[in-house]
Amino acid sequence: MHHATRYLWTAGLLAALTACGGSSGSGSTASVVTGVAATGLAISGGTVSLKCVSGTASYPATGTDGSFSIDVSGVTLPCVARVNFKDASGTAQQLHSFVSAAGNVNITPITELLVAKLTGAAAANAFDTFNAALLKAISATQLSDASKAVKAYLAANLGMTVTNLPDDFVGTKFKPKTATTAGDAFDGVLDDFKVKLGAKSLADAEGEVIIAGGNGGTAGYPATATFTGKLSDGSACTVDVAADHSVSVSAASWAYTGGSIKTMLDGFYFDNANGEIAPAVFYSGTRRFFESNAGNYQAATAAAPAYNTGLSFDATSGKLIMASGSVITDTSFTPAAGANFNFVCAGEAYPAGTPVGVSEFNKATPSRFKASTLVGGPFTAPTANNQACTFSVDATGNASISWAGFTTTGGKLDLPNTWLTGAADQSTTQAKYDIYYSKTTGAIVGTSMGGSVILTPDESAGSDWFSVTISQSTTNKQAVVLANGLASNPKSVTCNTANDPAGKWAQVASYIGTWKGTKDNNFHLGTNATCQLVVDAHGAMTYTDTAGAATTINSTAWTVTPPNSGAYFDFAKTGTAITFSMDFTGTTVSGAKPQAYFWKSGASTEYCNNMIKQ
């Protein structure tokens, strides 16, 4: 289970649109968008699509010079542009740009960075999760700031010379290189971008430009100011934003850190599902949000707590909607009462009539562990092929499984109760865990919070995920370990007490001894030849046929057949065609003594009837 963080492609997004693209100096008609799609080399044969506030439009195939022309008289601008094409290796690719008005619109890797900077997420999100309301809310100032930030990133982070890159690199016409002609100076910047990008992918650059400068959004940090607000009980609170981009939230009634909590607005989150980065500054509708660094939850203690603060402003008036956050000192799934603190300070723009969240220390949290029937051990629970395995569970849900196949963790998986999954997975007869162990150090990695797992990308790449279910049935206990989601993984195993030889034989221990009877061949009675079965104290059975040949089967090969009163057994001799069946439930004709019936199937079928214990 992985922690998926917030990804609002947000209004911040299309800030660009209202000013970028559709340069009035392009000479285009009022209802046509023309431009060039290029990577340094013109994109030939690419399909250009527009998603607009109202309607869509497209161009089937760009020219050999990357050119396209789209009639936009039937749509309402602004739009997000996408070009789909195949690179030199035949791999499908996409690039994006903004269209705020008819005119010239370029689609290049640099306009891709612009979209990412504006949206705070991968540029493709602006097209795939298109939001018309957000698109219309973008200002020319936001676009200008984003364009400057992209140029600054290219110069500072990639070491590029951006003299020949226009400030309006969406709307300014240029000449890309083709198979037969050279490109101009603007096109040379695209060539240099590919070189300076090096081993990085364009997606890597998108992630870097999002957080370049520390804010991850073109609106920048909130202005230095002091805002007043109220807590849920009506008492006063204040929010101070300083020039160093720190924010302090204070309330006289808080019995915590002197009544004030200070954090830096420098936070960002990793989305492990696709490796993207969400920034500290993002947008949603008419709101602007700012996030502080949530810190390392796994390391959070009373001595070094993890702080988190979020600010929400009205995007139009700039007034504070609210400040909220937390102080975490105990990251366990049952934190001690009073260990963690949550706060909400409602500002001037907080919706009237909406209750304000309570600022308070946490109450005691009930344990998710319910499986009282599993407590105990270590339980002897071999695998189906008789490999040694044991497991135990304590009264609070901490568990441990020992099996030689856990090669990177010293032959053992320790399962702290903090790694129990959600409450829906737990019952009186089942405990389920999701846990990650490093492939190199064998140590637990990541953080477990409330039944969810949080991993950084490097932890995810360098660890094994173990999904473990320990359960109790009517007759046995078992631990099922699924490594990295695959039953075929060499670190996956099922350990079951039903495979314990001692446990299997205990229920029929009264049959220990020597049994003798007479042989029948294929139901031909009357041979009167003697046959014998010896059952030892460990459940091993040795059958001696009338020719004196003996075959021994250990108790691990027996399978109890419940419908026969728990005293009917089937087993097979590994590596041979011999199958034995044994029934201890019969009686003699007179009914005076217990009788066993034995059947051996192999080269010839043999029955040993009227077996009586000696």
Side-chain angles (χ1 to χ4, degrees):
M1 286 182 215
H2 299 285
H3 175 66
T5 60
R6 291 181 277 195
Y7 254 114
L8 305 175
W9 69 271
T10 75
L13 138 101
L14 299 160
L17 292 188
T18 50
C20 190
S23 170
S24 59
S26 68
S28 303
T29 67
S31 60
V32 177
V33 168
T34 60
V36 165
T39 61
L41 180 68
I43 295 173
S44 177
T47 301
V48 179
S49 303
L50 304 182
K51 273 191 181 180
C52 307
V53 168
S54 174
T56 61
S58 63
Y59 190 77
T62 54
T64 56
D65 60 353
S67 62
F68 61 89
S69 178
I70 302 176
D71 183 354
V72 292
S73 59
V75 302
T76 302
L77 278 61
C79 314
V80 180
R82 167 181 283 176
V83 60
N84 286 291
F85 63 101
K86 290 185 177 180
D87 61 19
S89 68
T91 303
Q93 304 286 354
Q94 295 176 339
L95 290 174
H96 301 84
S97 191
F98 291 117
V99 184
S100 60
N104 191 80
V105 173
N106 300 319
I107 310 176
T108 71
I110 294 178
T111 64
E112 183 88 355
L113 298 185
L114 177 66
V115 177
K117 186 63 178 175
L118 286 163
T119 65
N125 287 9
F127 191 94
D128 293 333
T129 61
F130 185 85
N131 188 313
L134 300 181
L135 198 67
K136 294 187 293 185
I138 307 308
S139 70
T141 299
Q142 287 174 312
L143 171 60
S144 177
D145 289 345
S147 299
K148 291 175 183 177
V150 169
K151 291 187 68 173
Y153 163 77
L154 297 175
N157 292 61
L158 299 185
M160 291 177 56
T161 299
V162 293
T163 305
N164 292 322
L165 182 65
D167 290 340
D168 180 8
F169 47 78
V170 174
T172 301
K173 289 184 176 182
F174 76 102
K175 179 183 178 182
K177 178 173 58 180
T178 70
T180 57
T181 61
D184 60 16
F186 184 165
D187 186 65
V189 176
L190 300 181
D191 289 329
D192 189 39
F193 175 74
K194 287 193 290 186
V195 173
K196 296 296 174 60
L197 198 60
K200 294 179 181 178
S201 66
L202 183 57
D204 293 333
E206 289 182 76
E208 290 177 347
V209 78
I210 286 170
I211 61 172
N215 64 61
T218 59
Y221 295 103
T224 301
T226 297
F227 303 88
T228 58
K230 292 183 178 181
L231 303 179
S232 59
D233 62 2
S235 61
C237 52
T238 59
V239 178
D240 293 293
V241 181
D244 64 353
H245 308 312
S246 66
V247 56
S248 298
V249 184
S250 308
S253 61
W254 285 351
Y256 203 93
T257 62
S260 182
I261 295 170
K262 181 178 180 180
T263 54
M264 298 298 296
L265 292 173
D266 61 354
F268 59 90
Y269 294 91
F270 291 98
D271 182 341
N272 297 309
N274 50 32
E276 296 170 349
I277 300 174
V281 184
F282 54 98
Y283 306 78
S284 178
T286 59
R287 297 188 181 193
R288 294 166 57 216
F289 295 90
F290 300 82
E291 285 283 350
S292 72
N293 196 323
N296 183 345
Y297 279 103
Q298 192 170 20
T301 64
Y307 293 88
N308 178 32
T309 302
L311 299 182
S312 173
F313 293 89
D314 182 272
T316 303
S317 67
K319 295 179 179 179
L320 178 70
I321 298 174
M322 69 180 215
S324 62
S326 60
V327 182
I328 306 297
T329 67
D330 184 347
T331 62
S332 70
F333 76 89
T334 54
N340 303 324
F341 183 67
N342 297 306
F343 61 87
V344 178
C345 176
E348 184 179 356
Y350 194 84
T354 303
V356 178
V358 178
S359 301
E360 62 181 351
F361 289 96
N362 69 289
K363 305 294 192 300
T365 305
S367 171
R368 289 199 304 278
F369 180 68
K370 302 176 182 178
S372 56
T373 58
L374 297 176
V375 174
F379 303 108
T380 301
T383 66
N385 58 354
N386 207 31
Q387 293 178 330
C389 181
T390 62
F391 63 88
S392 59
V393 182
D394 73 14
T396 63
N398 298 304
S400 182
I401 305 174
S402 295
W403 176 59
F406 300 138
T407 54
T408 57
T409 55
K412 184 173 71 169
L413 283 186
D414 287 324
L415 306 167
N417 58 16
T418 50
W419 294 84
L420 283 161
T421 58
D425 294 329
Q426 314 303 324
S427 71
T428 57
T429 58
Q430 175 176 290
K432 186 173 182 180
Y433 307 77
D434 271 346
I435 194 166
Y436 288 76
Y437 274 93
S438 168
K439 295 177 181 178
T440 54
T441 67
I444 295 173
V445 297
T447 306
S448 178
M449 294 288 289
S452 298
V453 177
I454 303 172
L455 291 179
T456 61
D458 60 319
E459 287 174 334
S460 180
S463 64
D464 283 319
W465 162 46
F466 295 94
S467 176
V468 182
T469 302
I470 304 176
S471 60
Q472 166 79 55
S473 69
T474 304
T475 58
N476 61 279
K477 294 179 173 66
Q478 73 171 5
V480 178
V481 180
L482 195 63
N484 296 316
L486 297 172
S488 59
N489 190 292
K491 297 174 187 174
S492 294
V493 68
T494 296
C495 304
N496 198 320
T497 58
N499 297 325
D500 177 14
K504 290 172 69 173
W505 186 246
Q507 59 185 309
V508 287
S510 61
Y511 305 116
I512 294 170
T514 300
W515 298 73
K516 290 185 178 181
T518 55
K519 173 188 173 185
D520 290 327
N521 286 323
N522 297 321
F523 294 102
H524 295 292
L525 304 179
T527 61
N528 295 318
T530 301
C531 46
Q532 176 177 286
L533 181 72
V534 177
V535 182
D536 73 11
H538 301 289
M541 298 190 182
T542 301
Y543 175 69
T544 304
D545 62 22
T546 55
T551 303
T552 299
I553 303 296
N554 292 324
S555 60
T556 54
W558 288 98
T559 300
V560 178
T561 307
N564 290 275
S565 304
Y568 184 92
F569 301 87
D570 291 310
F571 64 94
K573 178 68 172 178
T574 304
T576 74
I578 298 175
T579 299
F580 287 177
S581 290
M582 186 68 196
D583 182 0
F584 289 102
T585 62
T587 61
T588 61
V589 175
S590 67
K593 296 181 179 180
Q595 174 185 291
Y597 164 83
F598 188 82
W599 171 51
K600 172 187 173 183
S601 175
S604 64
T605 300
E606 181 171 323
Y607 301 89
C608 192
N609 290 319
N610 301 314
M611 294 182 70
I612 299 174
K613 189 175 181 181
Q614 303 301 299

